[in-house]
Amino acid sequence: MSAGAAVVVAMAVILTFSLMGGGARGGGEIFLQTAAAAGRDPFTPSVATDTRNAAAPSGPSTSRIGSRTVAVSGAHPGLYGGTRNVASCDVEKQIAYLTENKSKGSAFAGALRIPQAEVPAYLRSLTSVRLVWDTRVTNHGYRDGRAIQYQAVLQAGTAVLVDSRGVPRVRCACGNPLAPAVAVQGEQKYQGEKWTAFRSSTIVAVTPAPKPMKAVTMFDPETKAWFERPNGDSQGRSDHPIPAPKGQPPNAAFPVLPDPSTDSADEFPESGDRETQDDRTDEDEKKKDDEQQREQEKKEQQEKKEQEKKEQQEKKEQDEKKKEQDEKKKEQEKKEQEKKEQQEKKEQDEKKKDDEQQREKEEQKKEQPVAPDSDQPPSPVQPEKPVEPKPEEKQPRQEENQPVAPEPQRPQPPKTEEPAKPQPQQDQPQPQQEPAPEQPR
């Protein structure tokens, strides 16, 4: 079933349920709830984002007073208000919480008569608004794993989500599901904190509009202006201004309710002794609800066990797979390490072999004689091997005892000769000069 079809069926069921007076009848207690208070047994934390103009509570906690609740069609302009382009509720936060908390999500869906899987789509189909009037509703608290319904009056300014027929379906300060108000049994007794503007004669009870609406006509209490918000706009991003609707005075400081004589409003019926459908007693209804709740819980526990078993099996398979992958990885790393060591060893052996070959070449080179260079004298380190000169290159060898020609003497400057002293003359032989040896040619 699609989300749209589920919403239509749910609205039809709830409409029939409200017209028949609801299920189990409550006592005479009607609980007062201020705009920002969480109230009794909240389903979720608050997701309200716009709670301005909510009066502070005051007065005694209990009062016995008469009531004149006015039933007003959800299509009546002025039932709802807010700030233009500002959403009063965070729908996605509500969806996330109910999705994470399966038991609350199941109870929430049961209170609205829709499948649990359709909860996100259903919430996104609602419109975010604030109440302009103190409004009577059937509220649902979450207790002991189930939705417990009770009658309540929500203070003007309360952030709610309404459906396409203008009926409040969710209270944003607590996440509780809402339904149209039903008659209570016995004397009415208001429980809870009253607020300053509370008047039992100005309470409204919203009844579904005759047909789905395209937009909700809203009033801004701060600017005293009117605007329309398209149905299903939970974000408030498509608001557009409009003039005062028909039946509402222009430039009025506050909207007005319809005349009770018209078809759009009537006094809300209260009954003290009306029985439920098919003459079933409250005890029978409660017993049936308890059985359904136990069956639902049993089913949820069974599903939970199966889910846990499935998760454990998946976890075991994942662990085994991971272990196998780790072993393969270690084995691969070991092989790579061995391969790397073998490669390194091979490179070292090749390098060692190259070094030995290089040393052998150097030693052989040292032992091998080298021919002298004709332009350079032989190396003094190595002994020179005599080489026979060619015939034309033979030179006359000098004899060992052959005299060497003296070096020519440099001319000396003339010395001043002193007169020689007379010596006795002796006949002494003068030494003869040897002839200069011939130079070799």
Side-chain angles (χ1 to χ4, degrees):
M1 182 183 294
S2 65
V7 172
V8 173
V9 172
M11 290 188 298
V13 172
I14 296 173
L15 175 58
T16 303
F17 179 82
S18 63
L19 291 178
M20 290 190 302
R25 290 173 300 166
E29 293 180 333
I30 301 175
F31 293 88
L32 304 178
Q33 293 184 328
T34 57
R40 301 174 58 192
D41 306 319
F43 260 78
T44 72
S46 175
V47 295
T49 58
D50 186 9
T51 57
R52 289 173 287 183
N53 296 328
S58 62
S61 60
T62 303
S63 62
R64 292 177 178 269
I65 56 177
S67 174
R68 179 183 172 274
T69 301
V70 179
V72 182
S73 170
H76 179 71
L79 276 181
Y80 305 115
T83 304
R84 185 180 169 191
N85 297 325
V86 176
S88 59
C89 304
D90 189 340
V91 172
E92 296 304 320
K93 185 177 180 181
Q94 176 91 359
I95 292 172
Y97 188 88
L98 293 175
T99 302
E100 293 174 0
N101 296 268
K102 302 294 184 182
S103 59
K104 287 189 174 182
S106 176
F108 183 91
L112 292 174
R113 310 299 197 271
I114 60 174
Q116 185 174 357
E118 299 291 342
V119 168
Y122 179 75
L123 288 174
R124 293 188 180 105
S125 72
L126 303 179
T127 308
S128 175
V129 300
R130 285 189 294 152
L131 300 177
V132 171
W133 303 88
D134 295 343
T135 304
R136 171 86 170 272
V137 296
T138 298
N139 205 336
H140 297 78
Y142 181 79
R143 186 191 305 169
D144 300 329
R146 56 181 294 188
I148 306 299
Q149 71 176 23
Y150 58 93
Q151 296 302 298
V153 175
L154 308 182
Q155 182 190 15
T158 299
V160 296
L161 298 173
V162 300
D163 63 16
S164 61
R165 294 180 182 265
V167 178
R169 293 304 181 189
V170 179
R171 182 172 182 264
C172 302
C174 56
N176 288 2
L178 303 177
V182 296
V184 297
Q185 178 181 351
E187 184 181 4
Q188 296 182 26
K189 183 188 299 182
Y190 289 98
Q191 296 282 356
E193 295 178 305
K194 292 196 301 180
W195 44 93
T196 305
F198 175 78
R199 299 290 184 274
S200 61
S201 59
T202 57
I203 298 174
V204 301
V206 181
T207 60
K211 59 182 181 180
M213 302 179 297
K214 294 182 179 180
V216 179
T217 302
M218 302 175 64
F219 179 77
D220 189 338
E222 293 185 357
T223 62
K224 315 303 179 187
W226 292 86
F227 63 94
E228 282 188 343
R229 178 168 293 175
N231 182 45
D233 184 3
S234 59
Q235 304 296 325
R237 296 176 179 174
S238 302
D239 299 345
H240 57 275
I242 59 171
K246 183 180 180 181
Q248 297 291 342
N251 302 321
F254 207 77
V256 296
L257 291 174
D259 189 338
S261 61
T262 65
D263 294 336
S264 60
D266 198 357
E267 187 171 349
F268 183 77
E270 297 287 4
S271 174
D273 57 355
R274 186 173 60 183
E275 295 293 331
T276 57
Q277 184 72 3
D278 297 333
D279 295 330
R280 287 178 295 183
T281 63
D282 295 344
E283 186 177 354
D284 293 336
E285 290 288 338
K286 186 176 184 301
K287 186 176 180 180
K288 183 178 179 181
D289 290 342
D290 290 341
E291 290 177 356
Q292 291 178 350
Q293 183 66 26
R294 284 193 294 270
E295 290 178 0
Q296 181 68 21
E297 290 176 354
K298 185 177 179 180
K299 183 179 179 181
E300 290 177 356
Q301 290 177 358
Q302 183 66 23
E303 291 177 353
K304 184 177 180 180
K305 288 181 181 179
E306 291 178 358
Q307 182 66 22
E308 289 177 352
K309 185 177 179 180
K310 183 178 179 181
E311 290 176 355
Q312 290 176 357
Q313 182 66 23
E314 290 178 352
K315 187 176 184 300
K316 184 178 179 181
E317 292 176 357
Q318 290 177 357
D319 293 341
E320 292 177 353
K321 187 176 180 180
K322 186 175 183 300
K323 185 178 179 181
E324 184 179 354
Q325 290 177 349
D326 293 341
E327 291 177 354
K328 287 183 179 180
K329 185 178 180 181
K330 289 180 180 179
E331 185 177 354
Q332 182 68 21
E333 290 176 352
K334 184 178 179 180
K335 288 182 179 180
E336 291 178 356
Q337 182 66 22
E338 291 177 353
K339 186 177 180 181
K340 183 179 180 181
E341 291 176 355
Q342 292 176 359
Q343 182 68 22
E344 291 177 353
K345 184 178 179 181
K346 183 178 179 182
E347 291 177 356
Q348 290 177 357
D349 293 343
E350 291 179 354
K351 186 175 183 301
K352 185 176 180 181
K353 185 177 180 181
D354 293 342
D355 293 342
E356 290 177 355
Q357 292 178 354
Q358 184 67 23
R359 284 195 297 270
E360 290 177 359
K361 289 181 180 180
E362 291 178 355
E363 289 176 358
Q364 291 176 1
K365 186 176 180 181
K366 288 180 181 179
E367 293 176 358
Q368 183 177 0
V370 181
D373 193 352
S374 60
D375 295 334
Q376 294 182 357
S379 173
V381 179
Q382 298 180 356
E384 185 177 300
K385 188 176 181 181
V387 181
E388 290 293 331
K390 295 181 180 181
E392 63 272 10
E393 293 180 354
K394 287 184 179 181
Q395 299 292 338
R397 299 178 58 185
Q398 295 181 357
E399 295 181 1
E400 294 180 359
N401 297 328
Q402 186 175 357
V404 180
E407 294 181 1
Q409 296 182 355
R410 297 179 181 177
Q412 299 292 331
K415 297 182 179 180
T416 305
E417 295 181 358
E418 295 181 359
K421 294 181 181 182
Q423 294 182 358
Q425 296 181 357
Q426 293 181 3
D427 295 332
Q428 296 179 356
Q430 297 293 331
Q432 295 181 359
Q433 295 181 353
E434 292 182 0
E438 294 180 358
Q439 299 289 337
R441 295 179 181 178

